[in-house]
Amino acid sequence: MTSPWRHQQTPAKIATTKISTMKIATSWYLHLSRLAFVLFLAALGALLWLNDKSDRDEQRATLISDMLWLEQDMHFALNRNAEQLQAMALQLADPGATTAQFETNARRLLVDESGLRQLMWYTADLRFRAALPPTTDAGMVGETADTVPSRETFRLAAALGKPSYSPTYAIVDGDAQFEIHVPQFRDGQLGGMLVGTYSIRALLSQLLPWWLTERYRVSIVDIGGTVLGSKTAISGDLLGPSYQLPFEPPGHGLTLQAVAYEQKSSLARNLLAVAIVLLAVAVLASLWALRRHIQRRQAAESALRDEYAFRKAMEDSLDTGLRARDLAGRITHVNPAFCQMTGWTAEELVGLCPPMPYWLPEDIERTRAVHDNVLAGSIPSEGIELVFRRKNGEHFDVLIHEAPLIDSQGRHKGWMGSVIDISERKQNEELARQQQARLQSTARLVAMGEMASSLAHELNQPLAAIASYNAGVLNQIRAGDFSRDELAAALDKLGQQAQRAGQVIRRIYEFVRRSEPRRENCDFRTIVDNAMELLEPDARQHGIRIEREIAATLPPIVGDAVLLGQVLVNLLRNGIEAMATTPTEQRILAVTVAAGEGGIHLILCDHGHGIPEAMAERLFEPFFSTKSEGMGMGLNICRSIVESHQGRLWFEANPG
């Protein structure tokens, strides 16, 4: 039995099947159109290639035909000249022949423009008789009479009894020439020799027709490939076929070479081919462009939706508030983080103009001034710190960075501001400041603890003196033997010792008491004196002499005298402790105070054991100490205090 659902499909599957079928059909049509277009271009290209090949084959056939004709024509001209020279040689074989007869016959041959350059008449023993045009050297055959080839040609012609050609040779004007030697026999004996010289340049110029030079560059090349002469009527690149054949006579490896110029194709045929291609391409391209346009538009719309969704998700996930304003300051966009930060919704904020509801009423003038500066383009790179209020009235600190909004046309449309809630950071900074103050106070207490024995000794002296003076006064009063002046003197000394003890206690109290940092005008000389008085007992106990050099005039400074005093005490104590192993006579702590550039320059020098270079790099790191019982916070605190007063604290080696 057939299952009732065996041949059924769900609507989703049916839809999927239809879509897949449509995609396959579309793909098939698309590939078919592409294949037809490619085949059409291939057929058209093959047709053009065959036409071009036919033209080139025709051009080469024409070249070969022309060269064969030229070779025959030149061969005919040279043979005709040879026959005329033989006839002339028979006439001059008569013993009564004169040079005038030679010149008459020679002039007739030279006027014929058959390439002959000069005719010469020699005896059988190579003695010169006559030449036309005349030569200036009576023993010269052509222009190279003493060369071996010319003599060999002379002997060869005499031996063979018929005209012979010499190899080519260069002459003075850059031309090349060859000779024809025609023997002159009388009664079976060599009676003389007619020598004619051919100029390669003249031969090409006189025997090459003009229409041939319009098609080819014709050259005569020797056996070594050197071009002896060439002629052409067109200047340009030679891109067509070439052909060469032996140049016989004169032979001796000479070849006649022709290179065709690129044949100009038929303009009408080319225009017709281009028109067919353009029309076919235009038809297919229009359909293809329409399809591509639709696809690109769909892809662009899809990409735009994806990009918008991506940016919206990214914007919604930010903790940083984003606020956009136009050039008039009207809010055009806010993200959820900004709404959550202020407590107002986007509908309540978008479209509002200054003053904004999240501005502080009591600070509205300053906020408006900042707002106007931003719209004017005055934007600090470090951002702007303001205080905003939430809808419930709560205040919070913000850091705002502004950037110009530029549209797709490059026009400035407004400002985009990123708003960061820095309330927690402000609280952390305040907490860190308080912790730093506690740490500084603790450091002062630790320093006082380490100086306790010295301070106890310092207090013991005035207290012992007070007790001694008090006992002396009581003894005198009980004995009844006293004068009013003696009692007054003893009580004055007792009061002085009490004041001395009070000063010690007051210095200790001022040093260790914890108070908020204060910024007030300070006398740096007084700060240095107080610090030295506080450490004087400790220095005496360790046998250390403090040498001070303080400038007569010091510029006033603004700061916290207690914190600056703590810096001096810490640095002086470090110098004292550094000389624990130094010989007693070298235990000197030098303090120099001078006016520096825009402030005061304080130098502390001791005669301690020094600090290794590796430790010097970490000297100001927190919790790093060269003492086994040290906390490693003293120098770090000192640097923090100095830098908070716009100063600088550093260490330098002092080998002396």
Side-chain angles (χ1 to χ4, degrees):
M1 184 177 178
T2 305
S3 174
W5 56 83
R6 182 174 179 179
H7 299 290
Q8 295 179 358
Q9 291 180 319
T10 62
K13 290 185 177 179
I14 294 173
T16 304
T17 304
K18 289 182 178 179
I19 292 173
S20 301
T21 305
M22 290 176 62
K23 287 183 178 179
I24 293 173
T26 304
S27 176
W28 184 81
Y29 283 121
L30 178 61
H31 289 302
L32 181 60
S33 62
R34 290 177 180 174
L35 179 60
F37 182 67
V38 170
L39 291 176
F40 173 78
L41 291 181
L44 186 60
L47 177 61
L48 295 177
W49 178 78
L50 289 174
N51 287 336
D52 183 69
K53 184 176 182 301
S54 176
D55 290 343
R56 289 185 179 276
D57 291 342
E58 182 181 353
Q59 184 184 18
R60 181 167 181 81
T62 304
L63 169 64
I64 295 173
S65 175
D66 291 341
M67 287 302 296
L68 291 175
W69 177 88
L70 177 63
E71 189 268 339
Q72 291 177 1
D73 185 67
M74 297 182 74
H75 182 74
F76 173 77
L78 293 176
N79 288 340
R80 183 187 59 193
N81 288 342
E83 292 174 356
Q84 291 179 355
L85 286 173
Q86 285 179 316
M88 182 178 174
L90 290 175
Q91 294 177 5
L92 297 177
D94 186 359
T98 63
T99 57
Q101 292 176 332
F102 166 79
E103 291 178 357
T104 300
N105 293 328
R107 187 172 290 107
R108 186 174 59 253
L109 285 176
L110 293 175
V111 171
D112 199 22
E113 293 188 355
S114 57
L116 280 172
R117 180 172 180 267
Q118 186 182 38
L119 287 177
M120 292 170 286
W121 186 17
Y122 289 89
T123 65
D125 55 356
L126 275 176
R127 285 184 297 107
F128 176 79
R129 294 193 62 181
L132 191 73
T135 179
T136 58
D137 188 351
M140 186 176 184
V141 178
E143 292 189 8
T144 57
D146 295 330
T147 60
V148 175
S150 294
R151 292 179 182 275
E152 288 182 351
T153 308
F154 189 99
R155 287 193 291 269
L156 180 62
L160 295 177
K162 62 179 182 179
S164 298
Y165 290 90
S166 72
T168 58
Y169 53 87
I171 56 178
V172 293
D173 59 351
D175 195 5
Q177 68 183 24
F178 61 91
E179 301 168 357
I180 179 172
H181 292 236
V182 179
Q184 177 186 346
F185 286 93
R186 183 173 60 244
D187 298 331
Q189 297 293 327
L190 181 67
M193 187 75 68
L194 285 179
V195 178
T197 58
Y198 282 97
S199 166
I200 297 292
R201 187 180 297 166
L203 193 65
L204 291 174
S205 175
Q206 296 172 6
L207 299 183
L208 202 62
W210 64 268
W211 56 266
L212 208 61
T213 60
E214 294 287 341
R215 298 181 184 177
Y216 318 109
R217 184 184 68 187
V218 181
S219 307
I220 295 178
V221 183
D222 66 8
I223 194 170
T226 303
V227 177
L228 302 177
S230 64
K231 184 179 180 182
T232 181
I234 301 176
S235 61
D237 295 333
L238 302 174
L239 303 175
S242 63
Y243 184 74
Q244 63 182 16
L245 69 165
F247 187 26
E248 295 286 351
H252 298 286
L254 294 182
T255 58
L256 198 60
Q257 185 183 76
V259 181
Y261 289 93
E262 180 69 20
Q263 185 176 8
K264 294 182 179 180
S265 58
S266 173
L267 179 60
R269 185 179 61 188
N270 289 343
L271 289 177
L272 180 60
V274 170
I276 294 173
V277 172
L278 290 179
L279 287 175
V281 171
V283 171
L284 294 175
S286 60
L287 297 176
W288 190 266
L290 181 61
R291 176 182 174 277
R292 295 275 296 180
H293 174 72
I294 295 174
Q295 288 181 337
R296 282 197 299 266
R297 183 168 182 175
Q298 291 175 346
E301 291 175 354
S302 177
L304 182 61
R305 288 192 295 269
D306 293 342
E307 184 70 16
Y308 176 78
F310 174 78
R311 291 184 177 274
K312 186 70 170 63
M314 181 174 63
E315 182 182 321
D316 293 346
S317 66
L318 292 176
D319 291 333
T320 302
L322 297 179
R323 174 197 60 188
R325 293 176 294 175
D326 60 16
L327 296 177
R330 183 183 295 103
I331 295 178
T332 57
H333 175 76
V334 290
N335 71 335
F338 187 82
C339 296
Q340 185 178 2
M341 191 182 298
T342 59
W344 279 274
T345 64
E347 291 75 12
E348 293 174 323
L349 293 175
V350 173
L352 292 180
C353 292
M356 303 301 176
Y358 48 81
W359 289 3
L360 289 183
E362 59 272 21
D363 199 23
I364 197 167
E365 294 300 328
R366 175 176 174 271
T367 308
R368 180 180 284 276
V370 171
H371 171 273
D372 294 340
N373 288 336
V374 170
L375 295 183
S378 176
I379 308 173
S381 58
E382 66 276 8
I384 307 166
E385 289 192 11
L386 291 174
V387 179
F388 284 172
R389 70 183 182 97
R390 295 187 173 91
K391 194 172 184 178
N392 59 7
E394 181 182 352
H395 294 187
F396 62 101
D397 296 284
V398 294
L399 176 64
I400 305 174
H401 291 278
E402 297 279 357
L405 271 176
I406 307 298
D407 64 7
S408 59
Q409 304 299 322
R411 295 173 297 186
H412 185 197
K413 303 294 290 185
W415 300 91
M416 172 62 75
S418 61
V419 183
I420 305 172
D421 187 347
I422 59 172
S423 300
E424 185 175 354
R425 192 188 78 183
K426 288 284 190 179
Q427 295 173 0
N428 292 336
E429 290 177 355
E430 178 62 22
L431 181 60
R433 188 191 64 78
Q434 295 175 3
Q435 294 289 351
Q436 182 74 7
R438 295 191 188 97
L439 189 59
Q440 293 169 1
S441 178
T442 303
R444 290 195 294 272
L445 292 174
V446 171
M448 290 306 303
E450 293 174 351
M451 294 187 297
S453 60
S454 300
L455 292 173
H457 178 73
E458 183 75 6
L459 284 173
N460 189 49
Q461 291 181 353
L463 292 177
I466 289 173
S468 176
Y469 285 128
N470 183 62
V473 170
L474 289 176
N475 290 335
Q476 287 181 354
I477 291 175
R478 288 173 182 157
D481 183 15
F482 63 88
S483 65
R484 184 174 295 179
D485 292 338
E486 290 178 347
L487 288 178
L491 291 175
D492 286 340
K493 292 179 179 180
L494 187 147
Q496 291 174 2
Q497 294 299 325
Q499 290 178 357
R500 179 183 173 188
Q503 289 176 354
V504 173
I505 297 297
R506 185 167 57 255
R507 286 199 301 270
I508 295 172
Y509 171 73
E510 289 179 353
F511 183 74
V512 301
R513 72 189 179 95
R514 179 170 176 266
S515 61
E516 292 295 324
R518 292 182 297 177
R519 295 286 179 175
E520 56 188 4
N521 291 328
C522 303
D523 183 5
F524 198 73
R525 182 189 297 274
T526 303
I527 295 174
V528 175
D529 291 341
N530 292 339
M532 289 185 176
E533 288 178 6
L534 192 61
L535 283 171
E536 189 68 32
D538 199 14
R540 287 198 304 270
Q541 184 177 358
H542 289 82
I544 293 173
R545 184 171 76 258
I546 300 178
E547 295 181 351
R548 69 180 72 186
E549 182 180 348
I550 303 177
T553 58
L554 294 175
I557 60 173
V558 178
D560 191 309
V562 175
L563 294 179
L564 294 175
Q566 180 181 353
V567 172
L568 285 172
V569 170
N570 284 344
L571 297 178
L572 290 169
R573 286 193 65 255
N574 285 345
I576 291 172
E577 293 173 355
M579 293 185 287
T581 58
T582 303
T584 304
E585 64 276 6
Q586 297 181 7
R587 295 182 182 181
I588 300 173
L589 180 61
V591 180
T592 304
V593 182
E597 296 181 1
I600 294 174
H601 198 187
L602 169 67
I603 303 174
L604 301 178
C605 301
D606 59 59
H607 288 74
H609 50 73
I611 298 176
E613 185 177 352
M615 290 186 178
E617 296 177 355
R618 303 182 56 195
L619 201 58
F620 295 96
E621 291 183 6
F623 307 108
F624 173 78
S625 176
T626 57
K627 309 171 189 175
S628 58
E629 71 281 0
M631 293 190 303
M633 292 300 294
L635 287 177
N636 180 261
I637 293 174
C638 290
R639 171 173 276 188
S640 299
I641 294 173
V642 171
E643 290 179 350
S644 68
H645 286 76
Q646 290 77 47
R648 189 165 67 93
L649 176 63
W650 72 95
F651 159 81
E652 291 180 1
N654 187 16

